[in-house]
């Protein structure tokens, strides 16, 4: 049984991750690829508990280091109990956010050093890296308008616009650093055009 592929979907707030995640899942299934969808932070019972703590905007102020370590604690559980066994079993994993989000939010947004994140990445992931990352990119104001239409804003969504500008910049920098793995998809266009770009990129990947 060949090992499954690990695909991640990334992007700032309100760029349409949920809609496009379902589209990608269906596209892979149409191609007879067994795929399991999961998310970060989360994906196991404990990791979902950590997610709740991270998103709770009524908690005591969470230090940058605590936030970073919580993200990686959740990730360690997710990798050990879900991602690795699934890939080993030959099933593909489609994950809503992964470590590029840490470079974007904790690195870009919270100004944590990339070398610190990299150290934790190596510790927690060993050699595990996504095989393909789809980065949905849109101007920050557009995404935030969409995010605000949803229910109550969580702890991250309640940040100021400058935070999201830094997140977006850090995501795009990740894409520049890893051009073979990370494909930037323009998210502020008609859904059908976003889907066509996704088909194009995933089609190339499958070939
Ligand atoms: P979601 O709203 O896309 O489900 O993600 C939850 C929040 O968690 C989102 O605002 C980004 C944040 N996050 C980080 O800050 N660092 C990370 O490593 C991950 C995976 C998510």
């Amino acid at each position: 049984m060949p090992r499954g592929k690990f695909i991640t979907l990334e992007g700032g707030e309100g760029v349409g991750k949920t809609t496009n995640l379902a589209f990608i899942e269906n596209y892979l299934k149409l191609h007879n690829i067994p795929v399991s969808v999961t998310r970060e932070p989360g994906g196991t019972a404990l990791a979902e508990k950590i997610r709740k703590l991270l998103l709770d905007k009524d908690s005591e102020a969470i230090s940058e280091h605590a936030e970073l370590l919580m993200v990686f604690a959740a990730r360690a559980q997710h990798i050990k109990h879900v991602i690795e066994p699934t890939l080993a079993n030959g099933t593909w994993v489609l994950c809503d956010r992964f470590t590029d989000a840490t470079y974007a939010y904790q690195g870009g947004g919270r100004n944590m050093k990339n070398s610190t994140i990299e150290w934790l990445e190596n510790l927690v992931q060993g050699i595990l890296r996504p095989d393909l990352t789809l980065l949905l990119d849109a101007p920050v104001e557009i995404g935030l308008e969409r995010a605000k239409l949803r229910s109550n804003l969580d702890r991250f969504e309640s940040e100021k616009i400058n935070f999201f500008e830094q997140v977006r910049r850090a995501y795009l920098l990740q894409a520049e650093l890893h051009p073979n793995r990370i494909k930037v998809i323009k998210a502020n266009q008609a859904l059908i055009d976003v889907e066509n770009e996704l088909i194009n990129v995933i089609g190339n990947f499958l070939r």
Side-chain angles (χ1 to χ4, degrees), residues 64 67-68 72 99-118 156 163 166-171 173-174:
E64 281 89 350
E67 183 178 292
L68 180 66
F72 270 107
T99 307
D100 293 305
T102 312
Y103 283 100
Y105 283 80
Q106 282 65 50
R110 306 269 192 240
N111 292 312
M112 304 290 299
K113 278 197 209 145
N114 274 5
S115 56
T116 307
I117 299 174
E118 209 176 317
F156 287 104
F163 177 87
Q166 287 168 222
V167 167
R168 184 182 185 205
R169 236 175 285 137
Y171 262 136
L173 179 62
Q174 280 296 101

Side-chain angles (χ1 to χ4, degrees), residues 13 17 40-41 51 55 71 75 97 101-102 105-106 156:
E13 309 299 327
K17 265 188 313 103
E40 289 217 346
R51 176 192 179 89
L55 298 190
V71 162
R75 185 162 297 140
R97 296 193 189 280
T102 312
Y105 283 80
Q106 282 65 50
F156 287 104

